[in-house]
Amino acid sequence: MSINEKASEERIHSRRKALTKILASAAAIGTLGSLTRANAAPASTPSAPAPDSVAGKINGAPGIILDHASTSWAKIRNDIHRSNGPVDNYAALQQLVEDKKYLTIDTPISINKSITLTVKNQIIEGRGNGIITPLANMGNEFLLVLKADATQIHGIVLDNPMLLKSETGGRQGGIMISANYCEVSNCYFYRMLQSVIAPASFGAYGTKITNNWFLECLGAGTGMRDLHSKLGEDRGDAVTIWGSGTIMTGNHAYCKAGEDARLAFHAEGLPGARKHVRDFDHKDIIMANNMAKGSFRRHFAMENINGGISIGNISMGGATWWGEAYIQCKNINVKNTIRYSNSPDILNGNAWRPIKAAIAVVNFNEGVNIDSTVLIAKGTKAYGFAIATQTGDHDVTLSGSMINEGARTNTALFLNQPKSFRINNLDTRGFSRAAQITTNKDVTITSNNCYHQLNGTGKGVEVVKGSGGTIAINGDTYSGATTAFKLPNLDNLSIQNTRVSDSARFAELSGIKQSLLVTNNMATGEQAMPLIYSNGSAPDISWNVEGNVGIRSNFSYTSAQLSAINSVLNQRSKHAGKSVSVNNNAVYVALGSAPESPWLNLATQKVVKPA
């Protein structure tokens, strides 16, 4: 039986129960003939009214139960009695949501316990003066808990005026979703610690969070009060969804000034959350056209998502760790706009030692394609992009543009031992360095057709730590670097078809272990730019430095390498007409491609035959 068929059957059953109540009530007081419409007054003497304190009774509500009702119709409101503050409306509202498929909240309501929604296909909407607020003991509970599939919440206002929240234990919040196919739309959430959550204990499918406002969000972190505290990394979100098939779109999230919140928008799929995985448990997520601002530690994040889209979102400034982050994800497309504004004096979550960046990837990722635009705002120290932890392999493609208006020492990319990292058509401006790299033997980094306009204070691409790995640069443009490339101790290096200007040096290289190719590059300036190999004579590896314009090289072979038939010079990349520098003072030309082919000194006509 389909969900719609079940819903129809439940609706018929509900109406039959309602009619039974009507008939029984009318027969008891002898007024059946006078009941011709809803709210009709009985003709005979009415029964005594129930006392206000009776639990579960709708005080003063008409006796006829319809599919639709409003809280004003049921006379549920928190301001009936004012002497001791707001009235607790929990019992009356809980009864009403159990009786009605369609309910309108149009009065102010206060509750001291979570309202649990258990009717499938139920629609609850807000209107007029409708608002739900927690009483003082609700510091670790949600206002609404959705337990029935296909529940819809529309246009409701939920507020936490007493700023209730907890740093440990249960969470204060607006709506908890523990059901499938639920929707929360066009609602206002004020001053919530956890506005909307779909917890990992259920793993909701098919959730829609659309066109809501999450205003003055609270956090559980200690901010600047305790820099050794690790609190705040398990709560403090506008929206957090553990599950699959989720759509978040058209929402606004703003953090209350001075708060240390965790996340504006977060989607996560926990491995092993279900013992028997369903067909649709692929952790898919669409996060589109949302806006976030203020001191959330991160504005947009996906974790353990397999198949996701994060597109059209705007990080409006104030994120204290990352504007957007991707953690243990696979098969993700990203295209957002990040304005990263964060004073270096803000140390929220300092105990976690975050590497601050507009865009971050964390732990490990595979098939993540990021094409976002970044502006690092004035007064900000941060990376444009960072591999923020190195605890696994990262397979990432990065494109887009980055502008640095912050500290002149800022670096565009921090590449911390990625397994496979591709930089394509990336445009950076105003940074000290284009890329800071730590490497190992398994690292592969390629850069193609990128443009880097640096500010004259640092290297273009620099390996700062590690040994091994492969870097290939093709078709890039670098302007304003002190040295365009400082790349020591790699296994393989290729720099081709690249242009460098306004720099003191083209490259500083050393310790290349397996292969080196520097060809068809151009350096522009009043004098030729040096390409320096700091180990002296070139190592006995396969290397080729030729066809460059405006670049002078100190690469030179030794006489021993020239004459040894088993040297890499003679065994690999040898061809007739190849010219090499020997001992920095002579040029020899190969007379053939075979290892034993002789070399001719162009100045003295001396011939050296390898043996």
Side-chain angles (χ1 to χ4, degrees):
M1 182 179 292
S2 69
I3 289 178
N4 290 334
E5 289 171 337
K6 289 181 180 179
S8 177
E9 182 177 305
E10 290 170 0
R11 187 175 291 108
I12 293 170
H13 181 65
S14 175
R15 287 174 176 169
R16 285 174 178 170
K17 287 177 63 178
L19 181 59
T20 300
K21 291 180 182 180
I22 294 169
L23 294 176
S25 174
I29 59 177
T31 59
L32 181 59
S34 65
L35 291 176
T36 57
R37 66 185 186 282
N39 300 331
S44 60
T45 304
S47 58
D52 291 347
S53 61
V54 176
K57 299 297 288 184
I58 301 175
N59 193 25
I64 295 182
I65 306 298
L66 304 175
D67 274 352
H68 173 262
S70 66
T71 54
S72 60
W73 170 86
K75 297 185 179 179
I76 302 174
R77 55 190 305 137
N78 65 12
D79 56 355
I80 295 176
H81 307 292
R82 283 293 187 184
S83 58
N84 296 315
V87 173
D88 175 22
N89 304 128
Y90 165 74
L93 183 57
Q94 183 64 49
Q95 178 190 334
L96 194 62
V97 299
E98 292 173 3
D99 287 343
K100 302 302 176 187
K101 279 280 192 179
Y102 180 22
L103 175 63
T104 299
I105 308 293
D106 59 355
T107 58
I109 292 174
S110 293
I111 54 177
N112 72 350
K113 187 177 179 182
S114 298
I115 298 296
T116 303
L117 307 182
T118 58
V119 179
K120 290 185 178 180
N121 297 99
Q122 189 171 40
I123 299 175
I124 298 181
E125 66 170 6
R127 187 180 298 170
N129 293 324
I131 185 171
I132 302 176
T133 56
L135 294 173
N137 66 322
M138 292 282 286
N140 57 2
E141 293 188 54
F142 284 83
L143 294 174
L144 302 179
V145 177
L146 280 53
K147 292 282 191 177
D149 287 353
T151 301
Q152 298 181 48
I153 308 295
H154 295 162
I156 285 183
V157 178
L158 300 100
D159 192 6
N160 177 26
M162 292 183 283
L163 307 183
L164 304 173
K165 64 179 179 179
S166 56
E167 293 179 336
T168 59
R171 295 160 177 79
Q172 185 281 330
I175 297 177
M176 177 187 285
I177 302 173
S178 294
N180 297 315
Y181 309 108
C182 293
E183 180 177 356
V184 178
S185 298
N186 298 298
C187 295
Y188 283 83
F189 297 79
Y190 290 96
R191 297 174 278 235
M192 296 285 168
L193 177 68
Q194 201 83 33
S195 295
V196 176
I197 187 172
S201 57
F202 181 82
Y205 178 77
T207 306
K208 289 187 178 181
I209 310 296
T210 62
N211 303 322
N212 301 286
W213 289 262
F214 305 97
L215 306 177
E216 299 186 66
C217 296
L218 305 182
T222 59
M224 306 293 288
R225 299 192 309 276
D226 183 358
L227 298 181
H228 300 288
S229 169
K230 288 200 169 185
L231 292 173
E233 268 300 290
D234 68 336
R235 65 193 65 204
D237 314 328
V239 181
T240 288
I241 303 295
W242 277 273
S244 57
T246 302
I247 297 175
M248 300 181 198
T249 187
N251 302 288
H252 292 70
Y254 301 106
C255 192
K256 183 177 173 62
E259 290 291 312
D260 181 7
R262 180 174 66 162
L263 293 153
F265 299 98
H266 180 224
E268 182 170 353
L270 290 179
R274 288 186 176 276
K275 185 175 181 179
H276 301 290
V277 177
R278 302 166 296 183
D279 287 344
F280 44 71
D281 280 337
H282 300 300
K283 309 170 188 174
D284 306 290
I285 175 74
I286 296 174
M287 186 183 293
N289 304 323
N290 303 289
M291 304 183 80
K293 186 175 184 179
S295 55
F296 299 97
R297 293 179 181 177
R298 38 210 179 271
H299 281 170
F300 304 98
M302 291 185 181
E303 183 168 354
N304 193 38
I305 296 298
N306 295 347
I309 293 174
S310 178
I311 188 168
N313 301 296
I314 299 179
S315 175
M316 302 167 68
T320 56
W321 289 13
W322 311 312
E324 62 179 352
Y326 303 93
I327 307 157
Q328 298 170 206
C329 289
K330 182 186 293 185
N331 191 29
I332 306 293
N333 265 322
V334 178
K335 191 176 181 66
N336 296 312
T337 298
I338 312 296
R339 180 180 182 269
Y340 192 79
S341 59
N342 180 23
S343 168
D345 297 329
I346 301 298
L347 300 176
N348 291 356
N350 183 71
W352 297 92
R353 298 182 180 179
I355 294 174
K356 296 186 176 183
I359 305 171
V361 294
V362 180
N363 291 350
F364 53 87
N365 291 277
E366 183 179 359
V368 175
N369 183 17
I370 301 172
D371 184 13
S372 292
T373 60
V374 168
L375 171 64
I376 306 293
K378 293 180 180 179
T380 300
K381 290 184 178 180
Y383 294 101
F385 171 94
I387 296 175
T389 61
Q390 214 305 309
T391 53
D393 294 336
H394 290 282
D395 170 13
V396 176
T397 300
L398 179 67
S399 305
S401 69
M402 298 181 180
I403 300 173
N404 178 43
E405 295 179 354
R408 286 177 60 79
T409 56
N410 287 340
T411 295
L413 312 179
F414 175 42
L415 306 182
N416 188 7
Q417 303 179 60
K419 180 179 181 181
S420 178
F421 199 91
R422 298 159 299 280
I423 315 165
N424 297 328
N425 301 298
L426 178 68
D427 183 345
T428 74
R429 299 171 188 265
F431 291 91
S432 174
R433 288 182 292 192
Q436 171 186 337
I437 299 169
T438 65
T439 190
N440 62 47
K441 64 182 181 61
D442 297 318
V443 166
T444 298
I445 298 170
T446 63
S447 180
N448 297 288
N449 301 316
C450 298
Y451 180 90
H452 303 287
Q453 183 178 325
L454 305 172
N455 62 25
T457 64
K459 309 293 191 296
V461 179
E462 182 177 9
V463 170
V464 297
K465 185 178 179 181
S467 177
T470 297
I471 294 178
I473 298 166
N474 184 38
D476 285 4
T477 298
Y478 295 81
S479 174
T482 55
T483 296
F485 309 104
K486 185 174 182 180
L487 303 171
N489 305 319
L490 295 169
D491 289 327
N492 304 284
L493 174 62
S494 171
I495 305 173
Q496 298 186 84
N497 307 308
T498 291
R499 179 174 178 176
V500 175
S501 62
D502 300 323
S503 300
R505 288 180 174 179
F506 181 83
E508 297 177 15
L509 308 178
S510 61
I512 308 300
K513 300 178 183 67
Q514 296 178 17
S515 66
L516 173 66
L517 182 65
V518 183
T519 62
N520 301 318
N521 301 290
M522 176 181 291
T524 58
E526 294 181 358
Q527 297 180 340
M529 287 185 198
L531 189 164
I532 298 173
Y533 196 85
S534 60
N535 298 93
S537 296
D540 192 23
I541 63 172
S542 178
W543 65 272
N544 190 12
V545 178
E546 65 181 23
N548 301 298
V549 176
I551 299 170
R552 67 177 189 274
S553 168
N554 74 336
F555 278 72
S556 181
Y557 287 104
T558 64
S559 298
Q561 288 173 314
L562 191 73
S563 59
I565 195 171
N566 291 322
S567 70
V568 174
L569 172 63
N570 286 304
Q571 291 290 329
R572 300 175 63 181
S573 304
K574 187 176 182 181
H575 59 86
K578 179 175 182 176
S579 62
V580 298
S581 171
V582 178
N583 298 328
N584 284 318
N585 61 9
V587 176
Y588 282 79
V589 175
L591 300 181
S593 59
E596 65 273 13
S597 296
W599 295 88
L600 173 66
N601 185 316
L602 293 179
T604 66
Q605 300 298 300
K606 177 183 177 181
V607 175
V608 175
K609 185 174 177 60

